[in-house]
Amino acid sequence: MSKPTRSNTRERADCLTKDRDALLAFYDFPAEHWKHLRTTNPIESTFATVRHRTVRSKGCLSNKTALAMVFKLVEGAQKSWRRIDGHNQLPKLILGVKFTDGIEVIGTSAAPQAAA
């Protein structure tokens, strides 16, 4: 592996600077949700079962039967899912309550305050 050049490093820094808001968007959610937002494991593990079954039955499925099978596999997988941490915060998010650094912003002040 070659040593990064100055221009490579600059390009990487520019990319991070450009995408900073998207990379740090999870701070605008309750702190309890952060670990769920930063991982793709729920997606990967759910579709691992689907991928395993569809590969085994390759060529035996029409579009309708494949869709039905995927639906039933995901429906069965959801029985083992655990509830999201901070699920009580979801109604606040839906209502548009703002969070800064994972803490609910109370009132019109820009500084976050600890919610009671």
Side-chain angles (χ1 to χ4, degrees):
M1 190 165 160
S2 63
K3 184 177 176 184
T5 64
R6 182 173 283 193
S7 63
N8 251 350
T9 303
R10 185 67 192 155
E11 288 173 16
R12 291 174 186 164
D14 289 344
C15 182
L16 288 173
T17 302
K18 178 180 68 78
D19 296 334
R20 182 180 190 275
D21 291 338
L23 291 169
L24 302 177
F26 67 89
Y27 285 116
D28 295 335
F29 290 88
E32 298 94 344
H33 294 183
W34 291 355
K35 70 180 176 185
H36 302 289
L37 295 171
R38 292 184 293 194
T39 182
T40 59
N41 191 41
I43 297 166
E44 297 294 328
S45 60
T46 299
F47 286 105
T49 301
V50 173
R51 187 172 42 253
H52 176 73
R53 300 281 186 239
T54 53
V55 166
R56 298 292 181 262
S57 56
K58 187 175 170 181
C60 301
L61 301 173
S62 69
N63 285 344
K64 284 184 178 182
T65 57
L67 184 60
M69 184 179 78
V70 168
F71 175 79
K72 293 307 279 182
L73 287 169
V74 172
E75 188 178 50
Q78 77 179 357
K79 294 175 184 173
S80 65
W81 294 346
R82 68 178 192 87
R83 185 176 290 209
I84 187 172
D85 291 347
H87 63 275
N88 57 328
Q89 302 282 16
L90 291 174
K92 292 178 182 179
L93 287 171
I94 292 168
L95 292 173
V97 172
K98 299 292 180 196
F99 289 81
T100 301
D101 294 332
I103 301 171
E104 182 179 345
V105 177
I106 308 286
T108 58
S109 70
Q113 301 171 1

